Amino acid sequence: MGLPVRKNNASIPPTCPLSESMALLRGAWAPNVIWYLSAGPRRFGELRHDIPRISARVLSARLRELESRSLVTRRALDSSPPSAEYALTELGRELLPAIQALANVGEKLMAKWGGAIPAAAVRPTRRRRD
């Protein structure tokens, strides 16, 4: 029999600020899209070129999600064929120091492992049940 769970007496906000911030970055490639928009507005094709491993479908979904979270703005360009330009909002720019801090840790890890971080260091291996 386990120990009973004690009540937490710490004053807990109704929602966790960390969870709220991380929710803004949820979704594969969202931090990458924000990072590449940090230098200035980019068109869809330019972002595809910046992030070669992202598919057009995923990039389109990320841009829509980031726009719905007020992190990115979309401006339709008067061109033929029709095009749009994406830029970070003020709220999106506020996330850049956190993303930069994560990138700095990634650089240190890559230096430690001599290039790419081994998958075993990122994902714990599953134990086989015998």
Side-chain angles (χ1 to χ4, degrees), residues 15-27 30-31 34 66 69 71 91-92 94-96 98-99 102:
T15 59
C16 175
L18 179 59
S19 296
E20 293 297 317
S21 296
M22 293 305 292
L24 292 174
L25 295 174
R26 75 176 177 261
I34 292 170
L66 293 170
R69 295 179 198 144
L71 299 175
L91 179 60
E94 287 186 38
L95 290 170
L96 290 174
I99 294 171
L102 289 169

Side-chain angles (χ1 to χ4, degrees), residues 83-115:
S83 186
E85 191 174 68
Y86 298 90
L88 289 178
T89 63
E90 204 51 46
L91 179 60
R93 291 203 163 281
E94 287 186 38
L95 290 170
L96 290 174
I99 294 171
Q100 178 64 55
L102 289 169
N104 291 343
V105 171
E107 286 176 1
K108 289 177 185 175
L109 289 172
M110 288 172 62
K112 178 181 177 180
W113 296 102

Side-chain angles (χ1 to χ4, degrees), residues 31-42:
N32 301 70
V33 172
I34 292 170
W35 181 257
Y36 284 104
L37 288 174
S38 67
R42 305 288 285 166

